[in-house]
Amino acid sequence: MVIQVQDLMKRYGDVVAVDGLSFEVERGEMFGLLGPNGAGKTTTIRVIMDIIRPDEGRVMVLGQPPGQAKAQVGYLPEERGLYRNLKVLDTLVYLAELKGVPRPTARERAMHLLERVELEEWASRKVKDLSRGMQQRLQFVASLVHDPEILFLDEPFQGLDPVNVERIKDLMAELHREGKTIVLSTHQMNLVEALCDRILLIDEGQVVLYGPLAEIKRQYAPHAVRVRAPHIPLDLPGVVGVEPDDGAFNLALAEGARPQEVLRALLDRRVEIQAFEVAPVPLEDIFVAAVSGEEAGGRRQEEGEDGLA
Ligand code: ADP
């Protein structure tokens, strides 16, 4: 465990920003910290970063109180700002020195990071001369310059074009492979699905969903199945739509319909099935359902009822 949060409570006047939150982040994982606006994500991160003090509860970072682990934690906040008139390399060296890194090491590491995000040729230019995408890459490596073990990334893809999203994703995957622990907070659920091992979804400062992404997804009944076959009858029970897709068919399921019933119906009709796959519920749908308090459109299923196994 690199982060332990226990019964965390934080109020701002009458507003309860974080309401008895408990979770843990494991070493080396890519952890998704999710929730709608105002859920308490930033407050939680700020407590872990020792920027603010909690009212109640216990937080440990690498086995120490947050204030003592600062050098091992990096933070890319949602609200970003760099000194526009400072040179690119000097910016990174300055930030590293603030975290206690000696200047020669800071320079070396800063150059290495600039190379990793293809900014080495801009090292002696001023920040304000960089394009927006370049500034965001610089922001990203600024959170890494002291070589932290744990990295908090708050909306790291905000406002990035697709090329820069890929660059940052690649860099995150590389850091993950190196064994860094990454806590990712974003509203882009497709990226959470692509990147995260486990997630914590909070709302109104409380836990809504917490655990391995794959396990959470299994708790939700699928909305669709994908079938590879020469043809699909259009009047299958439990199927409300059939869309050809790349040599196969996507079958939208009626509410409450189960994939195994569709499979049985296809077999009964002697359809030559080459492949049958249950399409997982998009995390986006789970998020919306969990936060709006609905049962995933009435679809969160009972334990043991899922899948074809
Ligand atoms: P998130 O990051 O999930 O959007 P925040 O942690 O920023 O959520 O905010 C949680 C709640 O606390 C919100 O209702 C927000 O308005 C409130 N809040 C956050 N920071 C402050 C502050 N400095 N003063 C007063 N209220 C705050």
Side-chain angles (χ1 to χ4, degrees):
M1 258 10 109
V2 290
I3 296 169
Q4 286 171 292
V5 173
Q6 218 171 39
D7 304 319
L8 177 64
M9 174 79 85
K10 177 70 192 177
R11 296 181 203 86
Y12 295 104
D14 289 342
V15 177
V16 182
V18 178
D19 190 5
L21 191 61
S22 299
F23 66 95
E24 292 178 338
V25 180
E26 290 164 15
R27 186 176 297 277
E29 75 176 335
M30 190 93 84
F31 186 83
L33 176 56
L34 316 176
N37 293 330
K41 303 179 297 291
T42 308
T43 303
T44 303
I45 294 173
R46 285 185 179 154
V47 170
I48 296 169
M49 293 298 305
D50 195 40
I51 297 167
I52 54 173
R53 290 276 151 82
D55 295 320
E56 287 168 43
R58 204 174 84 113
V59 174
M60 297 292 269
V61 180
L62 296 163
Q64 306 167 74
Q68 286 169 33
K70 273 186 165 171
Q72 278 93 271
V73 187
Y75 180 27
L76 176 70
E78 194 181 3
E79 312 269 314
R80 287 156 214 177
L82 291 170
Y83 296 107
R84 290 174 51 75
N85 284 315
L86 207 58
K87 289 180 181 163
V88 169
L89 180 64
D90 295 346
T91 299
L92 294 182
V93 172
Y94 166 75
L95 291 170
E97 284 187 301
L98 277 186
K99 296 273 190 173
V101 181
R103 180 166 288 225
T105 316
R107 279 189 73 90
E108 200 177 304
R109 187 152 169 86
M111 270 320 286
H112 169 71
L113 286 170
L114 289 176
E115 279 164 29
R116 273 173 90 162
V117 290
E118 295 165 49
L119 286 177
E120 69 272 24
E121 281 163 24
W122 296 77
S124 50
R125 300 285 291 273
K126 286 185 176 173
V127 169
K128 67 179 176 193
D129 296 332
L130 302 186
S131 72
R132 204 182 135 109
M134 289 173 174
Q135 288 195 19
Q136 282 179 306
R137 268 139 61 201
L138 178 61
Q139 284 277 2
F140 189 92
V141 292
S143 64
L144 285 175
V145 76
H146 54 300
D147 200 16
E149 265 194 73
I150 306 171
L151 193 55
F152 281 90
L153 303 174
D154 197 350
E155 294 291 357
F157 310 105
Q158 190 120 290
L160 290 183
D161 62 50
V163 174
N164 280 302
V165 167
E166 283 311 309
R167 278 197 175 116
I168 295 297
K169 264 172 76 179
D170 288 349
L171 186 50
M172 285 172 65
E174 234 175 89
L175 293 165
H176 186 47
R177 277 197 299 277
E178 285 169 15
K180 307 254 186 242
T181 305
I182 301 176
V183 179
L184 169 65
S185 186
T186 178
H187 288 112
Q188 288 171 269
M189 293 300 135
N190 55 331
L191 294 170
V192 173
E193 289 191 280
L195 295 167
C196 293
D197 310 310
R198 294 195 312 135
I199 62 160
L200 170 67
L201 171 60
I202 62 174
D203 191 19
E204 298 180 354
Q206 296 182 344
V207 177
V208 178
L209 292 170
Y210 173 49
L213 189 52
E215 228 164 78
I216 287 171
K217 290 190 114 186
R218 272 200 296 276
Q219 291 174 14
Y220 285 83
H223 298 189
V225 295
R226 186 177 166 82
V227 184
R228 193 172 287 274
H231 77 284
I232 299 290
L234 290 175
D235 58 343
L236 288 172
V239 173
V240 291
V242 177
E243 288 276 342
D245 176 24
D246 195 19
F249 295 90
N250 291 325
L251 278 52
L253 302 186
E255 197 157 328
R258 300 178 56 183
Q260 44 271 70
E261 288 157 14
V262 176
L263 178 58
R264 202 166 299 130
L266 286 168
L267 292 169
D268 286 347
R269 307 276 184 98
R270 305 201 183 282
V271 174
E272 274 179 55
I273 301 167
Q274 288 140 18
F276 183 94
E277 195 182 7
V278 180
V281 187
L283 184 57
E284 182 87 44
D285 292 10
I286 295 178
F287 180 102
V288 171
V291 165
S292 63
E294 286 171 31
E295 305 211 331
R299 283 168 174 257
R300 185 156 187 186
Q301 48 185 12
E302 297 303 318
E303 209 67 41
E305 208 197 300
D306 51 336
L308 291 160

